Amino acid sequence: MERLQKVLAHAGIASRRKAEELILAGRVSVDGQIVTTLGVRVDPRHQRILVDGIPIEAERKVTYLLNKPPGTLSTVHDPHGRPTVRDLLRDVPERVYPVGRLDADTSGVLLLTNDGELSYRLTHPRFGVEKVYRALVQGRITDGALRRLSEGVPLEDGMTAPAKATLVWRGDRRSLLELTLTEGRNRQVRRMCEAVGHPVLELTRIRFATLTAEGLRQGSYRRLRPSEERKLR
Ligand code: URA
């Protein structure tokens, strides 16, 4: 027997916290009874669990790749009505959730899935999934600053892990660099660049694991091919 919110999270319905919200909102039933309290234990193999009247196991596992435009939030709902990445997935019927986050101002590769286990494997630092960012930064970056980025930078939540930092070009007022990270801390690239004296002007994620946004205009998305999903797993 497992807690209902955990079962929902594992079924890829929502994060644990969001699953709790679904329960409290009266959208979840177990064997025909609406459950509105947290902590109820269920056996998903022998009990019929519905969210909005749909059996939780009925939804096939799907993953989409979005080329996120700047100005959209990496959530599925914003209480203030601002545009979210979910709004862009117009023809997607499944309840998919972003795999990790990109800042509102960051563009590029963002995966969305209803496969909770896959999402966990792709975001937990212990699996060390590579994320590659292109950052346009202020100022002419020095080799020393690039070295510091790659060796690790002290941030308020601790030292960053070693990363790959390569120069694409540098001018007198701006530089373009590529950073490959295996961690996924909040605003990590922006904070790292700021810490070495080069605030980020524009940020794009150009690769997540093996996936790039090649062939996708900003704002468009596609379903992953079975071979791509296999590789991710
Ligand atoms: N690092 C950042 O600073 N922002 C992002 O959106 C992703 C990584």
Side-chain angles (χ1 to χ4, degrees), residues 33-52:
Q33 294 285 317
I34 299 274
V35 174
T36 52
T37 52
L38 301 177
V40 170
R41 289 179 180 270
V42 294
D43 177 353
R45 280 160 308 172
H46 298 111
Q47 289 183 290
R48 195 167 157 75
I49 302 165
L50 311 184
V51 176
D52 295 335

Side-chain angles (χ1 to χ4, degrees), residues 15 91 96 108:
S15 67
D91 300 320
V96 292

Side-chain angles (χ1 to χ4, degrees), residues 24 37 53 73-74 76 79 81 85 98 100 114 133 137-138 158-159 174 201:
L24 293 172
T37 52
L73 300 175
S74 296
V76 290
V85 290
N114 57 359
Y133 297 90
V137 299
Q138 232 172 54
M159 242 359 224
R174 293 167 170 206
L201 301 168

Side-chain angles (χ1 to χ4, degrees), residues 14 16 31 65 70 110 117 127 143 146 188 217 232:
R16 195 82 62 93
D31 291 337
L65 191 167
L110 182 68
E117 205 171 303
F127 298 107
D143 292 343
L146 284 170
Q188 185 167 348
R217 276 179 297 109
L232 278 187

Side-chain angles (χ1 to χ4, degrees), residues 9 12-18 62-66 68 72-78 83-89 92 94-103 108-124 205 208:
I13 302 296
S15 67
R16 195 82 62 93
R17 196 174 53 77
K18 292 275 175 213
V62 286
T63 304
Y64 294 88
L65 191 167
L66 168 72
K68 178 189 174 301
T72 45
L73 300 175
S74 296
T75 87
V76 290
H77 174 72
D78 179 53
T84 74
V85 290
R86 190 64 185 85
D87 301 332
L88 297 168
L89 272 60
V92 171
E94 298 91 2
R95 281 176 293 223
V96 292
Y97 294 86
V99 176
R101 270 165 192 264
L102 289 178
D103 302 333
V109 178
L110 182 68
L111 297 184
L112 293 105
T113 189
N114 57 359
D115 185 339
E117 205 171 303
L118 179 65
S119 190
Y120 174 76
R121 286 189 61 87
L122 292 174
T123 49
H124 197 285
R205 180 153 70 191
F208 186 109

